Amino acid sequence: MTNQKLIESFATPFYVFDFEVLKDRIEHIKKSIPSNIDLCYAVKANTFIIGEAEKYVQRLEVCSQGEFEICEYLKTPMEKIVLSGVYKTPEFIERVVKRYDNIGIYTIESLTQYELLKRLAQKYQKKLNVLVRINSKNQFGLTEDEFKTIIKDNDSMIELKGIQYFSTTQKSSYKKLKREFDYLGELVTRIEEEFKISFQELEYGTGSPVTYFEEECFDEEEYFSQLSQLVSQMPSHLKITFEMGRSIAASCGTYYSSVVDMKTNKAGNFAIIDGGMNHLVYFGQSMAMKHPHFEMYPHRDAGNMAEWNICGSLCTVNDIVVKALPVDDMSIGDVIIFKNTGAYCMCEGISLFLSRELPAVVLAHGDNARLVRNHFKTSELNKPAK
């Protein structure tokens, strides 16, 4: 659907998540990596696209009870779920183990989580498939010694399938990637030899970069080529799964916000939009100095360009989305269309600040677009009890 039709159909601010762009993106990733590598979509990047994404990926990583309940609501195939996360309540995990026989994989982030799954597996006499998350120098996962403790203690009700590993997002350094794969390959070989066991798989969080800003340059083709080469050097019996969130979801999203006021003073030109930093989060943005990919509606050719500071509607000097954005003939009523907003924007912003409404959410597929969430009054969430 064209920008004109979307803007005529829906009141700003709103997000649009385009399913055709999403499908093309996943297919492009698949063509860029070896065919024997599976894809896992990290649903925390964008829960609104779960139903479409699961058609094209082998797994969905779910990290909270809320995300799991969304998957239940969407009737997501449970065998595709990787139930992960640094903390889930024991009551929630017990409900899942008791109710479902076909959850794909549980991950273990701590010895506490291991003991819980072991107890529940014995209680309900269900064999649970498990990946052990290995610590990458942060608060997540287990140390090697803790991993060994699990292997020594484990009984037949917990099936240790292999390892899950993730370090950081926006990871483009070949040296860092190689260092991680070298470590993981050596770890698998050493543990297998020491305990006379064989792991089946490695789920690797790639942290694949997304180029959000006009000045950025990133050779994604070379990146995937390097990643594929590193995978080829891993133990041949390991099934490799790439876990991606940002890289899959970012390009399918656009955010539409209208210019509602304008002013010029000694500090420069300021355009106030009906959205703001509570709706728009670009990883790597620094003091609003970087220029994200964007369009103006109505479209205009470069002419009488002037630099405008694009500010949101929050009553804080921090609500500057972009500084010194060059725009021709800025006017009240113009709509600024921000690109690559399909990942995290709708869930990372400070949505409840100043009790402003949440943006609407539109799902688009070709010429069809449907409203799946209307503007939502956060004042309902911020009211004290009488």
Side-chain angles (χ1 to χ4, degrees):
M1 183 174 284
T2 65
N3 285 329
Q4 180 177 349
K5 288 183 178 179
L6 287 166
I7 291 167
E8 289 174 351
S9 300
F10 306 104
T12 58
F14 62 89
Y15 303 104
V16 174
F17 305 127
D18 191 311
F19 284 171
E20 289 189 353
V21 174
L22 174 66
K23 178 183 177 182
D24 289 346
R25 175 59 183 165
I26 296 175
E27 289 181 347
H28 173 73
I29 293 173
K30 286 182 175 179
K31 290 176 182 177
S32 302
I33 60 178
S35 59
N36 62 338
I37 294 177
D38 285 349
L39 282 183
C40 175
Y41 172 56
V43 305
K44 59 180 172 288
N46 186 339
T47 56
F48 288 98
I49 64 174
I50 290 174
E52 189 70 9
E54 68 95 356
K55 299 176 184 177
Y56 310 110
V57 300
Q58 283 74 32
R59 285 182 177 168
L60 300 166
E61 189 207 32
V62 173
C63 287
S64 72
Q65 179 172 342
E67 289 180 351
F68 189 83
E69 288 169 352
I70 293 171
C71 289
E72 286 183 305
Y73 168 77
L74 294 171
K75 294 182 169 53
T76 302
M78 287 293 117
E79 61 270 17
K80 282 194 166 188
I81 296 294
V82 180
L83 189 52
S84 192
V86 69
Y87 177 69
K88 292 88 58 181
T89 67
E91 294 79 13
F92 165 61
I93 294 300
E94 181 161 9
R95 178 176 76 82
V96 174
V97 172
K98 180 180 179 180
R99 181 172 180 180
Y100 295 103
D101 295 328
N102 58 340
I103 288 291
I105 296 282
Y106 295 83
T107 68
I108 291 176
E109 288 257 6
S110 67
L111 292 177
T112 303
Q113 288 189 3
Y114 167 69
E115 292 295 340
L116 173 63
L117 287 178
K118 185 175 121 176
R119 177 176 65 79
L120 293 175
Q122 293 170 345
K123 178 177 179 178
Y124 294 102
Q125 286 299 292
K126 292 183 178 181
K127 195 164 189 174
L128 305 181
N129 295 320
V130 163
L131 292 176
V132 174
R133 182 166 183 174
I134 298 299
N135 178 260
S136 55
K137 299 180 180 179
N138 48 40
Q139 72 269 42
F140 302 105
L142 292 98
T143 65
E144 287 188 25
D145 287 342
E146 290 172 327
F147 187 17
K148 291 179 182 180
T149 297
I150 288 176
I151 295 173
K152 293 174 185 176
D153 175 78
N154 188 40
D155 60 28
S156 59
M157 299 304 290
I158 299 292
E159 180 71 27
L160 292 177
K161 292 289 188 179
I163 290 172
Q164 183 189 59
Y165 188 87
F166 179 85
S167 57
T168 57
T169 190
Q170 295 289 80
K171 187 165 50 187
S172 61
S173 167
Y174 174 73
K175 289 183 179 180
K176 184 175 181 61
L177 292 171
K178 185 177 187 305
R179 189 162 58 245
E180 290 184 352
F181 273 97
D182 287 347
Y183 165 68
L184 292 169
E186 184 273 334
L187 175 65
V188 167
T189 300
R190 177 161 44 85
I191 295 293
E192 288 182 334
E193 290 178 353
E194 180 178 349
F195 292 96
K196 309 303 180 189
I197 58 177
S198 180
F199 295 122
Q200 297 179 31
E201 62 179 280
L202 165 67
E203 184 177 298
Y204 178 73
T206 65
S208 300
V210 170
T211 52
Y212 285 120
F213 307 108
E214 293 176 348
E215 58 267 31
E216 287 182 327
C217 182
F218 171 63
D219 189 341
E220 186 176 74
E221 183 178 350
E222 176 66 14
Y223 170 85
F224 280 126
S225 175
Q226 292 173 342
L227 201 55
S228 300
Q229 180 183 6
L230 292 171
V231 168
S232 70
Q233 299 168 11
M234 294 294 286
S236 59
H237 65 280
L238 278 183
K239 175 66 180 176
I240 307 293
T241 299
F242 284 168
E243 176 207 319
M244 296 179 173
R246 188 184 306 275
S247 186
I248 285 176
S251 61
C252 79
T254 48
Y255 172 69
Y256 295 71
S257 188
S258 296
V259 177
V260 293
D261 205 351
M262 299 166 59
K263 56 189 72 175
T264 298
N265 55 37
K266 292 181 180 180
N269 299 317
F270 294 88
I272 311 299
I273 59 175
D274 57 3
M277 70 175 188
N278 49 331
H279 304 161
L280 194 62
V281 179
Y282 281 117
F283 188 93
Q285 179 64 286
S286 178
M287 299 178 67
M289 297 299 294
K290 297 181 181 180
H291 291 172
H293 299 283
F294 77 103
E295 290 182 35
M296 294 295 300
Y297 181 85
H299 174 77
R300 72 284 314 268
D301 297 321
N304 185 28
M305 304 293 286
E307 291 186 345
W308 287 86
N309 300 304
I310 311 301
C311 301
S313 299
L314 301 180
C315 291
T316 168
V317 293
N318 296 319
D319 193 9
I320 303 177
V321 177
V322 193
K323 288 181 179 177
L325 192 69
V327 178
D328 176 44
D329 193 26
M330 179 78 81
S331 301
I332 291 178
D334 286 348
V335 176
I336 307 179
I337 305 167
F338 294 92
K339 304 296 187 66
N340 286 345
T341 59
Y344 296 108
C345 280
M346 77 302 303
C347 54
E348 273 194 347
I350 50 174
S351 302
L352 300 185
F353 188 47
L354 279 161
S355 298
R356 300 197 70 90
E357 287 187 349
L358 294 179
V361 174
V362 176
L363 300 183
H365 198 162
D367 290 332
N368 298 315
R370 62 190 179 97
L371 185 71
V372 295
R373 184 184 78 188
N374 210 333
H375 296 90
F376 181 84
K377 288 184 177 294
T378 63
S379 57
E380 297 299 315
L381 303 176
N382 288 344
K383 285 179 182 177
K386 288 186 178 180

